[in-house]
Amino acid sequence: MTETLGQRPWMTAPPTAAVMDALEAAGGTDCARFVGGCVRNSLVGRPVDDIDIATVLTPEAVTRAVEAAGLRAVPTGVDHGTITAIAGGQPFEITTLRRDVSTDGRRAVVAFTSDWDEDARRRDFTLNALYARRDGSLVDPTGDGAADARAGRIVFVGDPEQRLREDYLRILRFFRFLAWYGKGAPDAAALAACARLKDRVTTLAAERISKELLKLLAADDPRQATGLMLEAGVLEMMLPEPINLERFKGLVEIETDLLFEADPLLRLAALLPDDQLTAMRLAESLRLSNAERDRLVAALAPLPKLKSWMSPREIRQAVYREGKAAFRDRAKLAWAAADRTAVTPQWRGMIALAEGWTVPEFPLSGEEVLAAGVPKGPMVGQVMREVEAWWIDHDFIDDKLSAIEKLKAVAQGMAY
């Protein structure tokens, strides 16, 4: 008996129906099937975010069919057989069935085929080599994909080393899928192959590495997968040593126990040493965005040291100097490295105080400093910094007159 997913809402939604109608008008019934993540996630009860379609139609035929139906066709990966159809504002990746002609582990030369089994044999994991027809019937060419998906087994299609040599990014994908879908002990053959070929990770483009790494770290609980990456020697191919696995585990524990949203960039910071220069270099090597780089660097600042027993006044001072976002990041990292069972309420209180505090603006301007008799030039900034330090030390006193009096006293005491 053919197993079926049933007709899921995403299968029958008008945009999906429009795309499938267009393809079937050109190639007939069963010329196109849903493939990969949408099938896998439906099988295991996970949300479906993207809908990918495999077809026997060539990219040119796909383009003609999509446009004939009044939909937009975008040539996102024609060399590898992929056309993206836009229907109802939603993208659908449509890829012609393929087989590898040659590959160097980074780029593959492919040939198109009409053989569904041949297409399945070049895919990475059995749980991704699953297809579903439009009526919801499941097609499992490897014979193991559905069972592996349900059991949380991340198993390569065929020989693990051969699959890895076709695309070394699959080393990282193995651990990413472990983090997201894995259950129990990992597949020993797959793990051994990743360890043997770990140095090939360094041949990959930085953008591919960072994208895959951050996807892995975005899983609800990537602790086991990350620990296995470290044991296999894969993690050190991407990150500088020493790798702070215990702080990383602590941060994930905090996020999991207290229902904080998973934060992949902060989890990356947790793995790094407390060294801003190292963070800067890593951000550059992984081609992170400027915003991601700046956040990493700020999170790993050595000073001020955050402690769970900081007073409200000290917390406000740190928030003012660092900003709310950097303070929150640094507080979570310090919390993750601490004895979490004893001081959880204090750390939570610190973060809540910082989030709820309205950061005040320094009440004096450069014009007011000049009006106090300070000449134009670097002395203006020096005086403002001294008065601001006094204002911060007095817990951001909400009294402009007192600030002006302090300004006058500082101005009078300065030697111009």
Side-chain angles (χ1 to χ4, degrees):
M1 180 178 178
T2 302
E3 185 173 358
T4 181
L5 294 175
Q7 285 206 320
R8 303 299 176 100
W10 60 265
M11 293 180 178
T12 57
T16 311
V19 173
M20 295 297 281
D21 285 344
L23 296 174
E24 290 182 354
T29 302
D30 202 30
C31 74
R33 299 173 183 174
F34 304 111
V35 66
C38 58
V39 181
R40 176 197 65 232
N41 282 18
S42 293
L43 190 65
V44 300
R46 299 278 189 99
V48 171
D49 300 318
D50 303 307
I51 301 174
D52 293 338
I53 298 169
T55 182
V56 298
L57 298 174
T58 65
E60 294 79 10
V62 169
T63 300
R64 289 194 299 270
V66 168
E67 291 179 344
L71 306 176
R72 184 180 169 206
V74 182
T76 47
V78 175
D79 290 345
H80 288 83
T82 301
I83 301 293
T84 298
I86 309 297
Q90 182 177 349
F92 296 80
E93 279 200 359
I94 306 169
T95 303
T96 304
L97 304 187
R98 300 172 294 182
R99 60 181 175 83
D100 287 332
V101 174
S102 64
T103 177
D104 61 2
R106 297 181 65 191
R107 305 172 192 85
V109 176
V110 301
F112 302 133
T113 179
S114 59
D115 187 332
W116 291 94
D117 288 350
E118 193 171 30
D119 183 75
R121 286 195 296 270
R122 70 169 300 279
R123 294 183 178 272
D124 52 8
F125 310 115
T126 57
L127 82 173
N128 289 338
L130 291 168
Y131 307 83
R133 297 187 179 91
R134 195 172 183 180
D135 63 4
S137 59
L138 190 67
V139 182
D140 185 359
T142 71
D144 298 316
D148 287 344
R150 291 192 179 97
R153 292 189 294 263
I154 314 304
V155 181
F156 283 102
V157 175
D159 178 60
E161 189 160 326
Q162 182 181 345
R163 293 287 82 77
L164 294 178
R165 289 190 182 279
E166 291 167 353
D167 184 354
Y168 294 125
L169 189 69
R170 288 172 173 172
I171 297 172
L172 304 186
R173 284 175 61 82
F174 172 73
F175 293 103
R176 194 244 291 185
F177 274 84
L178 269 182
W180 280 89
Y181 298 96
K183 300 174 186 175
D187 181 69
L191 188 60
C194 289
R196 283 195 302 273
L197 297 175
K198 63 177 186 275
D199 59 313
R200 306 305 171 88
V201 169
T202 60
T203 68
L204 298 169
E207 293 83 358
R208 296 184 80 196
I209 293 174
S210 59
K211 183 178 180 180
E212 202 64 37
L213 179 60
L214 290 174
K215 281 183 178 179
L216 184 158
L217 295 177
D220 287 342
D221 189 351
R223 284 176 288 188
Q224 181 191 27
T226 306
L228 288 169
M229 285 180 79
L230 184 60
E231 291 176 15
V234 173
L235 199 56
E236 66 192 55
M237 296 294 105
M238 299 172 287
L239 304 184
E241 296 187 83
I243 292 170
N244 200 333
L245 190 63
E246 290 309 308
R247 180 168 66 181
F248 167 78
K249 290 179 177 179
L251 177 61
V252 176
E253 181 181 325
I254 290 166
E255 292 174 334
T256 302
D257 290 350
L258 301 179
L259 302 180
F260 288 139
E261 185 176 350
D263 190 334
L265 195 68
L266 188 60
R267 289 175 173 183
L268 175 58
L271 286 165
L272 301 178
D274 290 319
D275 183 335
Q276 289 181 299
L277 184 58
T278 296
M280 179 74 75
R281 289 172 177 163
L282 177 72
E284 292 173 355
S285 70
L286 292 180
R287 302 288 192 272
L288 299 182
S289 69
N290 290 344
E292 289 170 329
R293 175 202 64 202
D294 293 345
R295 187 181 174 200
L296 273 185
V297 170
L300 295 169
L303 295 173
K305 292 286 187 184
L306 301 188
K307 304 293 184 182
S308 63
W309 56 83
M310 291 172 70
S311 69
R313 177 169 168 267
E314 290 172 321
I315 293 169
R316 287 189 287 269
Q317 290 175 347
V319 172
Y320 180 79
R321 290 191 171 101
E322 299 180 52
K324 284 188 178 183
F327 179 86
R328 180 180 59 247
D329 285 349
R330 296 198 56 229
K332 285 184 178 179
L333 291 180
W335 182 2
D339 179 1
R340 291 175 297 285
T341 59
V343 294
T344 288
Q346 291 94 314
W347 289 111
R348 292 188 69 177
M350 284 175 62
I351 294 172
L353 189 156
E355 294 290 348
W357 183 52
T358 301
V359 180
E361 290 187 14
F362 182 52
L364 301 181
S365 66
E367 288 76 14
E368 287 168 314
V369 175
L370 291 172
V374 178
K376 288 184 178 180
M379 196 68 72
V380 173
Q382 183 178 340
V383 170
M384 285 191 73
R385 286 191 293 274
E386 185 169 338
V387 178
E388 185 181 28
W390 167 88
W391 176 69
I392 293 171
D393 191 55
H394 283 73
D395 204 12
F396 311 96
I397 184 170
D398 187 18
D399 181 356
K400 185 166 183 176
L401 289 177
S402 295
I404 290 174
E405 288 302 314
K406 178 62 178 178
L407 168 61
K408 291 177 180 178
V410 172
Q412 289 172 3
M414 298 294 289
Y416 308 129

